[in-house]
């Protein structure tokens, strides 16, 4: 008997501990309720006695693992929601819940807010926020969701309307000593694994007069690693508004942005869909439709360990046909950039360009590749402007119908280049229907290789204009019509070789990109033998 009593006592202790853990777990994962007919004074957050406003709920629900649930209905809440780490906010749905807030705390805060002092590593926020529409009361509210200094935050299935500066502000470490250091030095600690998806944003920016941030971004990002943004629609096509996605000075590592549809103001050439600096770690922007230009600056001059590029932009449609002014097009001033399988159309200015800017690319850009893109119906195609640049490759593009309206007219235009660019490679491109020379090199470009390109119906007798004595021209086909489909949706199947056997097939030179057959094709597509991007306008 003396042996059995301790065993019985151990069983009692075990079951008591188990019950305590289960009760603790139930308490840990509690759900609290908010309802338009609730009461912030007498309510306790239960389903039968809910609070009336989210701001009150956030002030009372502070234990990680708990969830605040917003019942269907319309809310007015003019106070700030100070969100504790680990607390989730779940609405009944963005079509069922609308919160209107005139909280007027100004820039540097937001309706749902947390600002954490900078530590390394950045502490986890572990917040999941979803399921409602947030209205900024005719742009009285500065920012919808502002979470700075934490990570592991997820924002999804929300609609944002009529805010002054940002719909969403997310940042990891942001404490640099000065702006120049910020633009050139990675953060002391990254914020990891934030995500934004299934989000609609309408009229949530404005134009400002800040010297280094002249337009706000509907989504503003900084010092984030492995950030994902997808199924996001942004409409900022209003007067005196800002950009779509802004990251200045940025620092986005392993960024993935896809299935995006962004339109910004078509009356301003600098209301960019993306205005972003300093991507690293094979970041990507892809499978999206943009109705304004991308502006890039910077990128580390060396690669993160294990990565092949700082940034890859691919398989996007960029429709500039609604632009009311001539645009500088895509500002692609970024080290280690691979820009490919994109379709750019309808610009009154240049489609895309490479030039050094200030801060991170003041001395030039290196390791830059522009390949397998279709440029159609723009004033000028790809323009090389200025900088001390190196390792520039322009492969397998199609430049069709450069209008020269109001200027330009070349497929690849380096006629006014200033600076230093030696050893650029221009190969396997199809240039057709251009009033100016298909390619204009400029005397400042040295040791340029122009090889295995195809020129048809172009100005200057199909010759390369303004080239320096060191330009190498070889195996370029001039004046022969390319055998392409020539019908159907641009770019695919319009620019495919006829039946995969046209005169562009196997007519190129190996530049290190995948191909099948005896040699690469000239132009964008490898006939019908390799998969091709499926790009078209909405």
């Amino acid at each position: 008997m003396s042996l059995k009593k301790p065993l019985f006592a151990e069983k009692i202790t075990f079951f008591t501990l188990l019950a305590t853990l289960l009760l603790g777990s139930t308490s840990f994962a509690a759900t609290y309720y908010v309802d338009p007919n609730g009461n912030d004074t007498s309510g306790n957050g239960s389903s039968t006695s809910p609070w009336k406003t989210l701001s009150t709920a956030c002030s009372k629900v502070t234990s990680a693992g708990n969830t605040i649930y917003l019942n269907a209905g319309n809310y007015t809440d003019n106070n700030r929601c100070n969100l504790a780490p680990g607390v989730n906010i779940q609405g009944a749905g963005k079509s069922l819940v609308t919160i209107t807030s005139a909280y007027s705390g100004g820039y540097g805060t937001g309706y749902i807010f947390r600002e954490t002092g900078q530590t390394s590593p950045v502490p986890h926020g572990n917040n999941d926020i979803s399921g409602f529409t947030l209205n900024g009361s005719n742009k009285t509210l500065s920012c919808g969701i502002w979470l700075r200094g934490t990570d592991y935050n997820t924002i999804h299935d929300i609609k944002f309307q009529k805010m002054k500066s940002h719909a969403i502000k997310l940042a990891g470490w942001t404490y640099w000593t000065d702006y120049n250091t910020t633009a050139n030095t990675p953060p002391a600690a990254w914020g990891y694994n934030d995500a934004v998806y299934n989000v609609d944003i309408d009229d949530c920016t404005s134009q400002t007069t800040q010297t280094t941030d002249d337009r706000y971004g509907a989504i503003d990002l900084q010092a984030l690693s492995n950030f994902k943004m997808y199924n996001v629609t942004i409409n900022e096509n209003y007067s005196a508004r800002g950009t779509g996605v802004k990251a200045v000075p940025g620092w986005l590592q392993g960024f993935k942005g896809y299935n995006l549809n962004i339109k910004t103001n078509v009356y301003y050439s600098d209301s960019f869909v993306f205005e972003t600096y300093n991507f690293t770690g094979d970041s990507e922007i892809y499978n999206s439709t943009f109705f304004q230009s991308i502006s890039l600056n910077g990128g580390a001059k060396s690669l993160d360990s294990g990565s092949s590029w700082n940034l890859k932009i691919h398989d996007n449609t960029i429709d500039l046909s609604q632009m009311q002014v001539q645009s500088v097009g895509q500002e692609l001033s970024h080290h280690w950039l691979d820009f490919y399988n994109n379709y750019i159309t309808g610009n009154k200015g240049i489609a895309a360009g490479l030039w050094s800017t200030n801060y991170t690319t003041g001395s030039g850009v290196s390791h830059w590749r522009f390949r397998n893109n279709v440029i159609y119906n723009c004033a000028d195609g790809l323009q090389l402007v200025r900088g001390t640049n190196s390792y520039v490759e322009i492969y397998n593009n199609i430049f069709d119908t450069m209008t020269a309206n109001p200027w330009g007219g070349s497929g690849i235009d380096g006629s006014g280049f200033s600076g230093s660019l030696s050893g650029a490679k221009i190969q396997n491109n199809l240039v057709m229907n251009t009033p100016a020379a298909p390619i204009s090199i400029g005397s400042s470009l040295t040791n340029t290789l122009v090889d295995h390109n195809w020129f048809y119906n172009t100005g200057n007798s199909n010759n390369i204009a303004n080239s320096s004595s060191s330009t190498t021209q070889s195996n370029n086909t001039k004046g022969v019509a390319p055998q392409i489909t020539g019908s159907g949706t641009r770019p695919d199947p319009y620019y495919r070789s006829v039946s995969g056997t046209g005169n562009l097939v196997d007519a190129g030179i190996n530049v290190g990109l995948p191909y099948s057959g005896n040699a690469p094709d000239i132009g964008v597509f490898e006939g019908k033998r390799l998969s091709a991007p499926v790009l078209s306008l909405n």
Side-chain angles (χ1 to χ4, degrees):
M1 297 294 294
S2 62
L3 294 175
K4 293 181 180 179
K5 285 182 179 178
L7 181 60
F8 180 73
E10 287 175 7
K11 288 182 178 179
I12 297 272
T13 303
F14 171 76
F15 285 116
T16 301
L17 177 61
L18 179 61
T20 301
L21 289 173
L22 289 173
L23 287 172
S25 176
T26 302
S27 174
F28 183 78
T31 298
Y32 296 88
Y33 294 87
V34 181
D35 190 274
N37 296 314
N39 192 301
D40 284 341
T41 302
S42 61
N44 59 17
S46 66
S47 60
T48 57
S49 184
W51 294 303
K52 186 177 180 65
T53 62
L54 179 60
S55 58
T56 295
C58 286
S59 69
K60 296 180 180 294
V61 180
T62 58
S63 296
N66 291 335
T67 296
I68 300 170
Y69 186 84
L70 297 163
N71 289 335
N74 297 319
Y75 298 82
T76 298
D77 188 359
N78 297 327
N79 295 309
R80 189 172 76 182
C81 306
N82 295 305
L83 184 62
V87 174
N88 301 317
I89 298 172
Q90 180 184 353
K94 60 184 176 182
S95 64
L96 300 175
V97 177
T98 298
I99 304 170
T100 300
S101 179
Y103 170 66
S104 56
Y107 191 82
T109 187
Y111 173 67
I112 297 174
F113 175 82
R114 185 173 59 246
E115 180 86 19
T116 303
Q118 304 293 296
T119 60
S120 181
V122 170
H124 298 332
N126 291 327
N127 300 112
D128 187 282
I129 306 170
S130 68
F132 56 90
T133 290
L134 180 57
N135 188 301
S137 190
N138 199 28
K139 305 183 82 69
T140 302
L141 178 64
S142 178
C143 178
I145 299 176
W146 179 293
L147 302 175
R148 186 162 71 171
T150 58
D151 58 12
Y152 284 83
N153 302 300
T154 302
I155 299 167
H156 62 99
D157 295 280
I158 300 176
K159 183 174 183 177
F160 298 87
Q161 299 173 316
K162 295 189 178 302
M163 293 165 200
K164 184 177 180 180
S165 58
H166 317 298
I168 299 169
K169 167 79 172 185
L170 289 173
W173 179 281
T174 59
Y175 284 21
W176 285 270
T177 56
D178 58 77
Y179 186 78
N180 187 61
T181 302
T182 303
N184 288 281
T185 308
W190 299 93
Y192 288 95
N193 297 327
D194 287 349
V196 174
Y197 60 92
N198 298 346
V199 163
D200 300 312
I201 298 173
D202 185 67
D203 192 10
C204 289
T205 62
S206 64
Q207 184 176 357
T208 75
T209 57
Q210 297 181 61
T211 57
T212 58
D213 188 10
D214 57 340
R215 292 186 187 273
Y216 289 126
I219 296 178
D220 193 273
L221 307 170
Q222 198 165 335
L224 299 176
S225 181
N226 300 328
F227 174 80
K228 291 181 175 59
M229 179 173 67
Y230 55 95
N231 300 342
V232 172
T233 297
I234 300 175
N235 178 30
E236 295 299 318
N237 188 23
Y238 303 94
S239 178
R241 297 301 193 265
T243 61
V245 179
K246 189 147 190 171
V248 177
W251 292 107
L252 303 175
Q253 181 185 68
F255 171 93
K256 305 297 180 188
Y258 55 96
N259 296 348
L260 311 173
N261 189 300
I262 305 178
K263 177 182 286 188
T264 52
N265 192 281
V266 296
Y267 286 87
Y268 297 91
S269 62
D270 63 340
S271 295
F272 305 109
V273 290
F274 267 82
E275 186 176 11
T276 40
Y277 293 15
N278 293 318
F279 287 97
T280 69
D282 284 317
S283 291
E284 292 184 77
I285 300 170
Y286 61 100
N287 289 355
S288 298
T289 301
F290 303 134
F291 295 91
Q292 243 274 24
S293 298
I294 296 169
S295 176
L296 304 175
N297 195 355
K301 295 180 180 180
S302 59
L303 293 172
D304 290 349
S305 177
S307 64
S308 55
W309 296 90
N310 280 331
L311 175 61
K312 296 178 282 188
I313 300 178
H314 61 95
D315 295 279
N316 302 292
T317 294
I318 304 172
D319 179 9
L320 305 176
S321 62
Q322 298 178 44
M323 292 290 293
Q324 301 301 305
V325 297
Q326 61 178 345
S327 170
V328 294
Q330 319 313 304
E331 295 186 73
L332 304 181
S333 304
H334 202 285
H335 303 292
W336 291 96
L337 170 66
D338 193 12
F339 188 91
Y340 62 97
N341 288 5
N342 300 289
Y343 179 41
I344 306 174
T345 184
N347 197 8
K348 296 179 177 65
I350 64 172
L354 169 62
W355 54 85
S356 61
T357 54
N358 56 4
Y359 298 110
T360 52
T361 58
S363 61
V365 174
S366 66
H367 297 91
W368 189 90
R369 190 165 72 179
F370 189 91
R371 64 177 176 95
N372 297 90
N373 302 289
V374 173
I375 311 299
Y376 169 67
N377 194 33
C378 295
D380 216 17
L382 172 63
Q383 200 172 89
L384 306 175
V385 183
R386 62 178 178 267
T388 305
N389 306 311
S390 57
Y391 299 102
V392 171
E393 300 168 330
I394 304 168
Y395 299 145
N396 289 91
N397 302 284
I398 294 177
F399 300 91
D400 178 19
T401 312
M402 303 300 106
T403 64
N405 182 19
W407 43 261
S410 292
I412 300 170
D413 190 350
S415 58
F417 179 81
S418 62
S420 171
L421 174 52
S422 179
K425 297 178 180 179
I426 304 173
Q427 297 173 281
N428 297 346
N429 299 283
L430 168 60
V431 185
M432 59 185 190
N433 306 320
T434 66
I439 298 175
S440 182
I441 297 298
S443 59
S444 296
L445 278 74
T446 58
N447 299 310
T448 306
L449 175 62
V450 184
D451 177 43
H452 280 84
N453 300 285
W454 194 290
F455 306 141
Y456 175 68
N457 193 25
T458 60
N460 201 29
S461 301
N462 290 315
N463 289 320
I464 299 165
N466 304 314
S467 60
S468 66
S469 59
S470 63
T471 300
T472 299
Q473 304 180 39
S474 58
N475 301 297
N476 298 301
T477 300
K478 305 173 183 179
V480 179
Q483 294 174 344
I484 59 176
T485 301
S487 62
T489 302
R490 284 186 171 91
D492 186 19
Y494 189 95
Y495 295 107
R496 282 188 179 272
S497 296
V498 177
S499 301
T501 60
N503 54 11
L504 301 179
V505 174
D506 292 350
I509 187 71
N510 187 356
V511 295
L513 299 174
Y515 69 92
S516 62
N518 295 324
D521 297 350
I522 290 177
V524 170
F525 302 133
E526 274 287 307
K528 294 186 180 298
R529 297 171 297 179
L530 291 180
S531 61
V534 179
L535 303 174
S536 62
L537 298 181
N538 285 353

